Amino acid sequence: MRPLPRSLTLAFVGSLAAMASHAIELAKYPQVFVAPQGVEVVLAPTADGKQALVRVSGINDPIDQVVFLSTREPQGSAREVYTTRIDGRSYGLLHKQSHTYRGGDHYAVYLPGKRDGVALAFSDDKSKAFKLADLQASYERQLKQGTQEKLGRFDRNKRLAGAQAELAKMDLDASASCGTPVKTTVDWASIDDEKLQSLSIPSFCGVVASEIDSLCRNTPQFKPTAAGLGQVQCHFGPRLKIRVENQQVVFSTEKDAPNQEEFVRQFLRNQ
């Protein structure tokens, strides 16, 4: 038999190495959790307990039915978080909290775009009937298709759209409370991908609209003043700064600046 050409031999060895890198030894018993509205979460730890395959089903989100290889990260003595990469950042998908005096371990799944976790209940029947081989096969298939890699990439346009929607809601609330239009415009060019991934931009650039809203609701005599402060320009700069310029509130924010709410509140009260 003639030997394979060296290029084919190297390609074959490389493919075997790639397959080996994807091989995962799972612990014998998976856990299946359920929640209202048909939500189901499968947790299949690796044999060494350092990682786990995690699958969330029954949700209207791109991660539905996707099997993620998650890293188990202890946070203190009573908390564990299973993290994976979603939208360009490490994301705590499944949380476990141990309560010595409250019935043992409690799990919650944190879905993308939602602030609060969904409490989960362990299903003994589903756990016993679950087939690990099927889960691992799904993971391998999706891995070859690039499903997890695609979901792990940062989508700037998607994040921008979400932030803009939140800011628009804050503007609408302030407009309703004050009886005058409030509009926040953001200098998105001043916000790089790192800030957009790691920070809640509406929490920073929406602080002026939020404080205008609060003052109009709690101090009715502020409403006439609010009529001249409804146009807000926000950008990220080297330091916290706010001023009125050309009938607009020009707000410069900075990610590490403390007490931004109080800073903006005092400025508005002095107008």
Side-chain angles (χ1 to χ4, degrees), residues 109-154:
V109 61
Y110 283 76
L111 304 176
K114 306 294 184 182
R115 185 183 66 178
D116 300 322
V118 178
L120 300 170
F122 175 71
S123 173
D124 186 61
D125 290 342
K126 288 192 173 187
S127 297
K128 289 178 179 177
F130 193 80
K131 296 180 179 179
L132 277 176
D134 292 346
L135 183 74
Q136 194 151 11
S138 294
Y139 170 70
E140 297 287 350
R141 182 176 64 256
Q142 292 170 355
L143 207 60
K144 291 177 182 178
Q145 294 170 344
T147 303
Q148 295 92 335
E149 190 274 334
K150 181 180 179 181
L151 289 169
R153 291 197 302 263
F154 175 59

Side-chain angles (χ1 to χ4, degrees), residues 87 89 154-161 163 188 191-202:
D87 198 19
R89 64 190 178 100
F154 175 59
D155 188 336
R156 181 178 176 89
N157 290 335
K158 177 182 176 182
R159 187 65 62 85
L160 276 174
W188 294 108
I191 303 173
D192 58 23
D193 286 356
E194 188 277 329
K195 287 188 179 71
L196 198 57
Q197 290 181 71
S198 61
L199 302 177
S200 171
I201 301 303

